[in-house]
């Protein structure tokens, strides 16, 4: 594992965006795994900026998002479909037909999960997977528990996840109870993983995930087994690691 610690969130965003652009320049048809939430916002801004400046094109890229809420209309402002359009897809030249998210409104969710996994397989798997981390150690919406699913599946969101995401919805009652998420098996199959965390509130879970025991009770701890894990942290998120200086 390679850990990089940045003095500011802005420097982290620039480094992450440069890593992604470098990856695409080396492999224009790269398959990217994308995340939502607060953590990637600055990175998406930088990617859009670099596209506007003519420094990168996403024309041949394929993307797969980690997750989507169940039973939230795709045009709801807090759906991950809407988030991705608002923060990235509307600002770059990625062909919409190659931007994939699981559909949380499918009549047959089990079939939708299978379809999503098959699409990822067909695309040749994920080259670079970007991940944020939940306060309870979730990645995607793989919540802590006695077991974890390998492939895309439907999850019941943990109460702390719904509480954390209530800040986007206004109230916890508005936050959907279930989501479709890529499984940890699919995430671990990505050829390169970029785990990103910012802020003091993530310091403890970052320490547990990177230096604690590997356990399904902290899904992000399974990332320790990945041969190419790059971790980008701001100083606040790194402060419990004992390496932040
Ligand atoms: C988002 C996702 C989640 C978030 C995590 C952190 O697609 O899969 O695992 O990365 O909940 O969220 P933020 O970045 O809002 O702290």
């Amino acid at each position: 594992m390679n850990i990089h610690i940045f003095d500011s969130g802005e420097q982290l965003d620039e480094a992450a965006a440069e890593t992604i652009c470098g990856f695409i320049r080396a492999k224009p048809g790269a398959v990217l795994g994308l995340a939502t939430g607060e953590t990637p916002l600055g990175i998406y801004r930088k990617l859009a900026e670099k596209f506007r400046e003519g420094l990168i094109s996403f024309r041949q890229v394929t993307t797969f998002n980690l997750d989507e809420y169940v039973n939230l209309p795709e045009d709801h402002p807090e759906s991950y479909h809407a988030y991705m359009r608002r923060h990235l897809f509307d600002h770059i030249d990625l062909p919409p037909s190659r931007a994939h998210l699981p559909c949380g409104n499918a009549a047959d969710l089990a079939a939708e999960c299978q379809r999503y996994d098959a699409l990822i397989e067909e695309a040749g798997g994920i080259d670079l997977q970007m991940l944020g981390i939940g306060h309870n150690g979730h990645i995607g919406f793989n919540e802590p528990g006695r077991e974890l699913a390998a492939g895309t599946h439907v999850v019941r969101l943990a109460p702390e996840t719904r509480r954390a995401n209530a800040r986007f919805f206004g109230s916890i009652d508005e936050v959907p109870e279930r989501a479709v998420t890529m499984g940890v098996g699919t995430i671990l199959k990505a050829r390169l993983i970029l785990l990103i965390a910012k802020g003091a509130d993530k310091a403890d879970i970052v320490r547990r995930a990177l230096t604690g025991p590997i356990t399904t009770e902290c899904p992000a701890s399974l990332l320790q087994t990945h041969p190419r894990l790059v971790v980008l942290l701001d100083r606040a998120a790194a402060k419990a690691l004992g390496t932040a200086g």
Side-chain angles (χ1 to χ4, degrees):
M1 139 182 14
N2 235 312
I3 304 181
H4 302 273
I5 299 167
F6 298 88
D7 284 330
S8 72
E10 151 80 22
Q11 285 169 14
L12 186 161
D13 293 342
E14 178 59 29
E18 246 333 295
T19 302
I20 294 166
C21 289
F23 200 94
I24 296 171
R25 285 183 200 113
K27 185 176 181 185
V31 179
L32 304 182
L34 300 179
T36 55
E38 203 166 328
T39 309
L41 287 175
I43 301 169
Y44 292 154
R45 256 194 312 274
K46 296 265 180 198
L47 290 176
E49 230 169 77
K50 288 176 193 295
F51 167 71
R52 266 197 312 277
E53 289 165 7
L55 300 173
I56 190 72
S57 168
F58 297 82
R59 195 147 276 291
Q60 297 178 56
V61 168
T62 298
T63 64
F64 288 95
N65 265 78
L66 282 165
D67 38 27
E68 177 57 286
Y69 292 111
V70 167
N71 281 341
L72 193 67
E74 282 179 10
D75 58 2
H76 186 289
E78 293 310 328
S79 83
Y80 289 162
H81 281 76
Y83 169 108
M84 288 309 300
R85 282 196 299 269
R86 187 162 70 242
H87 295 296
L88 187 64
F89 297 158
D90 283 353
H91 310 286
I92 60 174
D93 62 346
L94 176 72
S97 61
R98 282 216 293 275
H100 305 284
L101 288 96
C103 173
N105 293 293
D108 183 344
L109 284 172
E112 170 58 13
C113 292
Q114 279 183 10
R115 183 195 72 89
Y116 203 63
D117 282 337
L119 263 185
I120 295 173
E121 281 285 306
E122 258 168 54
I126 292 169
D127 290 312
L128 184 159
Q129 176 67 57
M130 187 200 296
L131 293 177
I133 182 171
H135 296 105
N136 61 3
H138 74 214
I139 46 176
F141 275 138
N142 295 278
E143 300 284 25
R146 287 174 53 199
E147 40 189 52
L148 291 170
T152 301
H153 60 288
V154 176
V155 285
R156 188 156 290 282
L157 297 177
E160 58 267 34
T161 300
R162 293 186 66 234
R163 266 197 301 277
N165 289 3
R167 71 195 195 278
F168 301 118
F169 284 84
S171 103
I172 188 163
D173 299 331
E174 309 283 314
V175 185
E177 292 181 354
R178 294 186 303 154
V180 179
T181 183
M182 225 184 248
V184 172
T186 309
I187 292 172
L188 289 175
K189 272 197 254 165
R191 289 177 265 278
L192 172 67
I193 296 183
L194 218 51
L195 174 67
I196 300 160
K198 290 177 174 181
D201 57 314
K202 295 283 174 76
D204 187 52
I205 194 61
V206 164
R207 180 188 54 76
R208 275 179 58 205
L210 302 183
T211 67
I214 297 172
T215 162
T216 57
E217 296 296 343
C218 177
S221 68
L222 273 82
L223 298 173
Q224 292 179 40
T225 66
H226 195 277
R228 281 185 79 202
L229 172 65
V230 175
V231 186
L232 306 182
L233 305 171
D234 67 4
R235 273 204 188 275
K239 76 172 187 223
L241 287 179
T243 54

